[in-house]
Amino acid sequence: MAAEPVWSVDPRTGKPREQVAVEATAEEVDQAVRAAQATREALADRVLRAAFLRTAADLLDASGEHVVEAADAETALGPVRLTGELARTTAQLRAFADVVEDGSFLDVRIDRPDPGAIPPRPDLRRWKIPLGVVAVYAASNFPLAFSVPGGDTASALAAGCPVVVKAHPDHPATSELCASLLRRAAARAGLPEDVVVLVHGFDAGLELVRHPLVAAAGFTGSIRGGRALFDAAVARPVPIPFHGELGSLNPVVITEAAAAERAEEIGAGLAGSMTLGAGQFCTKPGLVLAPRGADGDRFLDALTAAVSETEPAVMLDHRMRDAFVAGVAERAALAGVHTPVTPGAGGAHTVSAGVLAVDAAALSGDGHRLLLEECFGPVTVVARYSTREEVTAVLGLLPGNLTAGLHIAEDDETAAPLLAELTPLAGRVLVNGWPTGVAVAPAQHHGGPYPATTSTSTSVGATAIERWLRPVAYQSTPGRLLPPELRDGNPLGVPRR
């Protein structure tokens, strides 16, 4: 049976650009995983790892014009957006190089022996070791920052785990280019190129998560696709951790006091956030609870005006465009739903942004639960509430989210209880801000209760490295047998407790 070709497609026209590769067979996936597995010993050298990550960042920056051009041709996200995404990606690689050099991620803990303790305590020395080969599933909406050179890859490599990436079919040429740069960086840093291996194909993705040498997986995508891979990961004879980001509505609550104070500002801000990148951010605010009355009307008028001025946009592929057009039409047809700005097809290859408005009380009915599900693309649902109890009722219907937002006024008496209600719903809670944009910082958390993610971990920030490590304690072990990081005298100078 002939291997299936992998084509690069122009989302602006829907036409194939070039054949980039062929889908990997089961045998080729096996070869890829075994090749990556063979690099584990070389990757154990933290000095080489840090050098590799910095070299990868340097090569990506040096090839920035070509990387951005390739990504724009396959995603239509535009040079400005992609240039910023590339800078974020390379900064993230350098940040993880710093994490590797610092050594705090090893979480070294030493308990000296104490025969007089009850019970007696032996010499115990604990640290964290890499899990093994990590399967990374690239995202459609971030061809750089959440794909081949993105956060899952960077954090896994930083942990000492080789990576096999399953390229996303929306940007295979970009994936090939970035993978070649990472492999070249590995060679320049003195590591085997196979610390990063790339495969293509839907079946290859299933083979990858089932491979006995794959020790963990990272995924960013849809609930349906992520859940299928998650189920496969836990159904293996030896289950593995599956860190998936699946979907998020990202609710926002606007208090009456906030609407009275700055309705127009909030409306304009929401418009910018929900249309950013054609509404294809995983953190897009998809449900906004706004008060009834004159101040809430001013907010909705400002939102309507700003969204009405948004130009039609190209989505990542025509399948997503068609799903958006069908999804907003189904939602707009529900009883009691109004369309201050009608979302839908903007042309043969584009979509138009829009706003759906509904009474908050209607969301409790079974027929309107669709409005509480993510609709990927430039649309948001504004639910108008009359009482505080209606807000609580709607929040009680929501699943887990990546983010939750709260807009308040100075000395807003409702702020504290609303913040307490939003906190269990999300991994990041914002006050007087918008969730699109995820800063790469040590304190960042990009994750949330299911279905936002399938674990309690973050995929952004320094602690993302923890997903690919497991603790090991050595008891009463002679110093000559211990890893250098655990020996007396701390010869490598790692932080220890």
Side-chain angles (χ1 to χ4, degrees):
M1 183 176 175
E4 290 294 322
V6 175
W7 288 87
S8 173
V9 176
D10 183 350
R12 293 180 172 95
T13 64
K15 296 180 179 179
R17 299 176 58 248
E18 59 177 333
Q19 182 180 338
V20 172
V22 294
E23 294 187 357
T25 63
E27 292 76 16
E28 289 167 336
V29 171
D30 178 64
Q31 293 169 7
V33 174
R34 293 185 183 280
Q37 170 81 358
T39 70
R40 290 182 66 187
E41 185 175 348
L43 200 54
D45 188 318
R46 287 196 296 120
V47 174
L48 291 183
R49 285 206 315 262
F52 164 41
L53 292 168
R54 290 201 177 94
T55 303
D58 291 343
L59 287 180
L60 284 162
D61 280 340
S63 302
E65 183 177 344
H66 299 298
V67 171
V68 168
E69 181 181 9
D72 180 53
E74 294 186 305
T75 66
L77 289 173
V80 174
R81 148 72 194 272
L82 289 166
T83 298
E85 186 179 333
L86 178 60
R88 180 189 194 281
T89 302
T90 56
Q92 187 166 239
L93 286 163
R94 294 185 179 99
F96 275 114
D98 293 341
V99 169
V100 172
E101 287 181 336
D102 173 72
S104 296
F105 74 98
L106 296 170
D107 195 21
V108 175
R109 297 165 183 259
I110 297 177
D111 284 318
R112 304 294 182 183
D114 185 355
I118 301 176
R121 186 176 69 221
D123 184 279
L124 289 167
R125 302 181 184 225
R126 180 186 187 273
W127 73 330
K128 291 182 178 178
I129 63 172
L131 292 175
V133 178
V134 170
V136 169
Y137 294 82
S140 63
N141 57 340
F142 282 86
L144 306 175
F146 284 85
S147 292
V148 174
D152 285 351
T153 297
S155 58
L157 292 170
C161 296
V163 170
V164 180
V165 183
K166 205 290 281 185
H168 196 281
D170 277 357
H171 41 77
T174 307
S175 298
E176 286 284 345
L177 174 57
C178 291
S180 70
L181 291 170
L182 292 183
R183 289 169 63 84
R184 191 188 312 167
R188 287 193 184 181
L191 290 169
E193 289 186 344
D194 287 336
V195 294
V196 177
V197 186
L198 184 69
V199 297
H200 297 265
F202 177 83
D203 290 340
L206 289 174
E207 292 288 342
L208 188 57
V209 80
R210 292 168 178 160
H211 196 287
L213 293 181
V214 168
F219 171 90
T220 302
S222 68
I223 293 178
R224 181 180 178 184
R227 185 54 194 257
L229 291 171
F230 173 82
D231 290 346
V234 298
R236 294 167 33 134
V238 179
I240 59 171
F242 183 88
H243 300 284
E245 179 191 319
L246 310 188
S248 186
L249 191 61
N250 306 302
V252 175
V253 177
I254 302 169
T255 68
E256 292 181 348
E261 182 180 84
R262 55 185 198 286
E264 290 79 10
E265 177 186 333
I266 296 172
L270 173 58
S273 183
M274 50 86 55
T275 61
L276 185 65
Q280 297 172 118
F281 276 58
C282 52
T283 52
K284 180 202 75 176
L287 174 69
V288 181
L289 286 153
R292 285 193 165 281
D295 294 326
D297 290 345
R298 288 194 296 116
F299 153 76
L300 188 56
D301 288 344
L303 172 64
T304 299
V307 173
S308 297
E309 295 175 359
T310 303
E311 295 293 327
V314 176
M315 294 191 70
L316 294 163
D317 63 36
H318 279 60
R319 176 183 57 82
M320 294 182 190
R321 175 195 174 276
D322 294 345
F324 172 78
V325 171
V328 294
E330 185 178 5
R331 288 164 172 80
L334 295 173
V337 173
H338 307 286
T339 54
V341 187
T342 303
H349 308 291
T350 60
V351 297
S352 293
V355 177
L356 307 178
V358 67
D359 288 341
L363 296 176
S364 298
D366 291 338
H368 289 74
R369 295 298 175 90
L370 183 61
L371 297 173
L372 303 180
E373 297 177 11
E374 179 185 17
C375 186
F376 194 69
V379 66
T380 196
V381 175
V382 176
R384 304 293 297 273
Y385 68 87
S386 299
T387 66
R388 177 73 171 72
E389 289 72 24
E390 287 182 344
V391 174
T392 297
V394 172
L395 295 180
L397 299 172
L398 300 184
N401 291 271
L402 293 170
T403 74
L406 178 61
H407 283 264
I408 61 174
E410 189 74 23
D411 299 325
D412 198 325
E413 294 181 357
T414 64
L418 281 170
L419 194 67
E421 285 188 52
L422 290 171
T423 297
L425 294 177
R428 178 164 58 107
V429 183
L430 302 92
V431 176
N432 292 343
W434 300 106
T436 39
V438 184
V440 179
Q444 185 60 272
H445 187 85
H446 188 62
Y450 185 85
T453 52
T454 59
S455 71
T456 59
S457 303
T458 178
S459 61
V460 179
T463 54
I465 196 173
E466 295 173 1
R467 297 174 293 170
W468 322 119
L469 300 163
R470 71 174 181 89
V472 174
Y474 292 95
Q475 180 171 324
S476 304
T477 304
R480 61 185 174 81
L481 300 179
L482 290 169
E485 289 86 350
L486 300 183
R487 294 176 187 170
D488 288 342
N490 195 9
L492 298 185
V494 299
R496 311 203 299 190
R497 180 176 179 180

